[in-house]
Structures are given as C-alpha cells and as structure tokens.
Amino acid sequence: MKKITAYIQQNYWLLIILLLASILRLFHVDYQSIWIDEIHTMIESDPSMTFREMNHIILLREGIGHMYFLIVKGLNAIFGYSTLTARLFSAFTGIASIYAIYLLGKELFNKRTGLIAALLLTVNLYHITYSQEARSYILLVLFCTLAFYKLAVFLKRPSVKNAIWYGVFAALMFHAHIVSALTLFGQVLLILFILYTQPKEERKAFFKKCVVAGTTLFLLLLPGYSLILKVSKYKSGWLTLPGPDGFSKIVKAITGDTELLWFLFLLLTIFYFVNLFKQKDNSLLAHSLLSNNIIFSALIFFCWIFFAIPLSIIKSYMDEPMILSRYFIHMLPALALLFAIAIEQMRNRISQVLIVAMIVILSLTDIFIVKDYYYKLSKSQYRELTTEIMNNNPQGDKVVSSWGWLMSYFFKPTGEPVLEMKLRDYVNAMKEGTEQEVSFWYLDGNSRPYDLTQEEEAFLNENFTVSENIELYDTWARHYILKSAPKISVIMQGKEKDNFKHKNFYMFENGELTSESFKLEKGQYNLIIKANSLPKDPIKGEHAHLQVKIGNEKIGDYYLNGNESNNEMKLAFEINNNAETEARFIFDNDTFAEGKDRNLVIYSVQIEKKE
C-alpha cells in the first residue's frame, strides 16, 4: 500500500493526464458507424473464420500485416464479436501510447518533457480520432513510439538485452503497418551513424550488439515477407501526388487542423531549431552526441520525421503515390515531443505554463465546440442504413451494392450475401438478360452518389417502382419493386423461337419462378430443362435442388450439377384433359457457406409430346 501511495504522490500529474486521455478516448467510442476500412477489419477478424481464410483475404484485399487482425480476432473471440470490442482495443492502445511518449520524453530530455508531450498528445484530435477507429494506425503509433524509446535506451546504454528489446519493438512497429518501413530504414541509418562515431576501442563491442538487434529484427520480420512482396507491387489507383503544399496540409491535419494551434506549433518549431543551431559542441564522437539532449533529440527526429518525408515524395513521383495523412500518423508523437522540448527549453516558467494552457484550451475548444467531435456525424452510416434495409425487407429481396463484399458483413444474420455490382452495371445486366429482373435494394455511399444515364433511368422507371428512398450520412439506398414478375418462355415442340425477352433466369434465393401459360392437349409429354447449379463446385457436398411442377402437379425434382456441357434433364408427365397450364420451378436449398453462395440458372425450357 505504501508503494502505491508513494507512486501516486510521485506521478500524480501522469495519472491525471492518463485519466483525461482515457475519458477523451472511451467516451462515445462506438457512436459513429464503421466506415469502409473498419468493415474490412471486422470481416478479417471474424472469430469463425479459419486462419487460412483470414490469410487469403488479408493478402488479397489488405495492405496491413496479420498481427493487428490476429489480436482483434482473439479479442472478438473472448469478449464478443462486435465493433465495440475492436474499437475498445484501439482506445486502450491509444491510452498506452500516451504513457509510451511519456517514457520517451523522459529518456530523451527529462520527466517534465515527457509529461508535456503526453499532455499534448492527449488533447490531439487526430490521435483521439484514430484511438476510436477499428484500424491499426493507433497500434502503429504505440509501437513506433516504443521502438524509438528502446532505440534511445539501446544507443545510450548498449547491452544485449536492450538490443533485443529494440529489435522486438522495431519489428512490431513494422507489423503494425508497412508504412513504417521508411522510418525503420531511418533508424537503421542512425544506428550505423552512431556505430561510425564510436571510439575504435568500443566499436567492435557495439557492432556485436547491433548484430543482435539486427538478427532479432530480421527473424521477427520474416512472417511478413508475403505481405512485403504484395505491397511492393500494389497500385492504388486512387491516391494522388502530394502537390506543392501536400505535406504542410498533412502536418496541419495531424497536429489539429486549427489556425491558432498551427501558429503556436510553428513558433515552437522555430524556437526548437534556434536552440539546436546554438549548440557549440563540434565533436562527432558518439558519447558527446548522445549526452547532448538537444543534438540527440534532433538525430531522433531526423530519422523519425524529416528522413521519411523526402523519400515519400520521391517514391510518390517516381513510382506509386503514398501521400495520405493517416500514413504519417506515426510521426505525430515525434512532433509532440519536438514541441514539448521547445517548451521545456523556455527559461520562464510562466511562459511554459501559459503556452501549454493555450494549447490545451484551444484543443479542447476545437474538439467540443468547433468540431463537436463526439456528436457530429463524420463516418458513412452503413450500420444504420443496412439495419433500415433489413427491417424493411421481410420478403427477402435481393440486395446489391458497389461495396457488395463489404456490405455482406452487415447482412450476415440473414445468411444472404450482397451482390457486388455498380448500379449502372446491374441495370445494363438486367437489360441484356444476364441478370434476372426481380425486386431489389441498392445501397451505396462513401462519396458515391446516385448516377445513371437517362436511358438507364428510363429502364428502371419502366420496370420498377421505388418504394423506399433512404438517405443517411454519406449513404443512401433505394428499394426497387418489380412492376410485373418475369415469366420463363417455354419452347413448344415445332414452335421454337429465339427472340425471348429473358434468355437466362437466375435464382439467388429459395423461391419459385413461373413460365408463360401454354395449352396442352391430352397425352404424354417430356419437359426438357437446361439448368446449372452455381457455383460450379458443390457447397458442403451438395448442388442446387430444383422441383418442377406442371400446374400444381409435381413432375419431378433433382439436384443440378455445375457442368455446363451436361446440364439437360428430361422429365416425363401426362396431361389427362386438354388444358391451359404453366410450368413452375422451385429452388429449395439456397445456402451461403465456405465463402460461397449456392444459386441456380435456367437456360431454357422445352416441352415435347411423345409419339
């Protein structure tokens, strides 16, 4: 008890800062809907998904390493599969990063510097935002900060233990997000520089410890080899070149995106460099560099901030653009530390208190009043939109979206995946007969508006009625009700024709299709149907099952196959009296399993009279 009391007395400011950080990161943590990237996280961290399936999806669709998804997957399995679980992990990771920057500030300069840096990061809106998002960016912030902390410890007090710890956290930083590769390269260059400046008699011993750190790092990076290969070939197709003011916009975004704060931070940056340029120590020996807090911090900032920026610009212009503010979030702790060191170097204590108070007050004003962060909607409301659709879709109409694979996450309770097609492509597919005309929902968002040509709009108006038009924040949905159900054209013996309006008929869920009515005389007949089960391979050892009726009388049922060259079935039936009737086709074993959806397609139906 005495130890706890003593710790509280010695660290009450740190505990107050951590309490404030906890409040700002846990309040309304699950208020906003999850957006596109977070839906990726929820799909890839599904506890019911096998590790093989998870690995396949990550390598196919992600640019983030496996580590984050494995952690969230484990937490989902323990605490429940929900966005709240995933976001709480980010929130507590964000709180941990506040403590991590305190440790680094204390190591680089002194305890007060660590406290100031922790407070600046606590009230930073960008840090809060990503502490409430189910993605790995805040994990990158944590491990990047700890990697630099362990690097500083290793360089100042080289030992095998410190070398191993640095290697571990440098690898964790890389696995948190591959964008840290440039920062890791900068760290390696700093180690080589310190190695070069070591006295000759100490260089060999320091080199051996560097080998230990490098070996640890290399071994822990090996599991990410496949992702490195994938990302090296990645072409985004949507990121643009930074432009002449690209990085000033990024730095402004991650430091608060507020004019008054930007002005204060600019002054602190200038003050820091003025103090750096005043340093008179011209020695290039490692001990001298590491013992001068200002110079050593400048070396850390160089490989953390300033080293990565020009390389990012070069890569963006010569290969593939990689300029996006969240890709530089791991530089945020470095900026907070730079500002904290500048404040700590002020000789007037009143000036220190005033400028810290100004930053905190302006930051909190921006969070709670200007941006109304905790109550103002800022993320696409897919969660609410899909809930509205499910509540208003008792008949189970098909759902289509340009984000079909992602939207299927929300519709998992229904057992029906969302068809992934743009509205324009889906309309044209119905016009061409490759998609069946049935009632459907279409949903979209994430800055994708409703956009059809006059011809496409005319087709929908002719064949469908819009029964629901839902618009929520950055999302929208429309429910199209078919005006008249499509009929399968039956080819009667001797009266074959090719100009049917509907060539192929798809059945995406359990239900019934009916043919056009036709007259049959008394006698015995064969119904010849050409149809396939989709996909080609069976799901859980079973293909689509189809029942066939003439009028109300069942004439046969059978399991289709996925072989397009062997898809014909002949069913015999008898008509006792001349009659006008219709053929009915019933699909009764729809399912979604093993990542595949069982459907069927009917190509043609022919009736022939037996001689």
Side-chain angles (χ1 to χ4, degrees), residues 199-225:
K200 290 185 178 180
E201 63 274 13
E202 299 178 17
R203 192 172 297 167
K204 186 175 180 180
F206 184 72
F207 175 74
K208 289 180 179 179
K209 296 177 180 66
C210 291
V211 170
V212 172
T215 302
T216 304
L217 175 62
F218 175 77
L219 292 175
L220 293 176
L221 288 182
L222 283 178
Y225 176 71

Side-chain angles (χ1 to χ4, degrees), residues 104 107-108 146-158 166 190 290 296 300:
L104 180 54
E107 181 66 33
L108 284 181
L146 289 174
F148 274 103
Y149 170 60
K150 290 301 180 181
L151 175 62
V153 171
F154 169 61
L155 293 178
K156 286 185 174 183
R157 300 181 289 280
Y166 163 68
L190 178 58
L290 298 175
F296 184 43
I300 291 289

Side-chain angles (χ1 to χ4, degrees), residues 396-444:
D397 287 344
K398 184 198 301 188
V399 182
V400 186
S401 174
S402 64
W403 303 105
W405 182 78
L406 292 170
M407 293 302 108
S408 295
Y409 160 75
F410 295 106
F411 289 90
K412 194 173 182 180
T414 70
E416 293 296 328
V418 177
L419 177 64
E420 183 161 322
M421 288 185 79
K422 293 180 180 178
L423 181 56
R424 175 168 293 172
D425 295 336
Y426 185 65
V427 170
N428 288 322
M430 287 190 291
K431 289 170 65 178
E432 294 166 2
T434 56
E435 286 290 344
Q436 183 182 348
E437 289 181 30
V438 294
S439 298
F440 71 97
W441 285 85
Y442 189 88
L443 71 100
D444 217 327

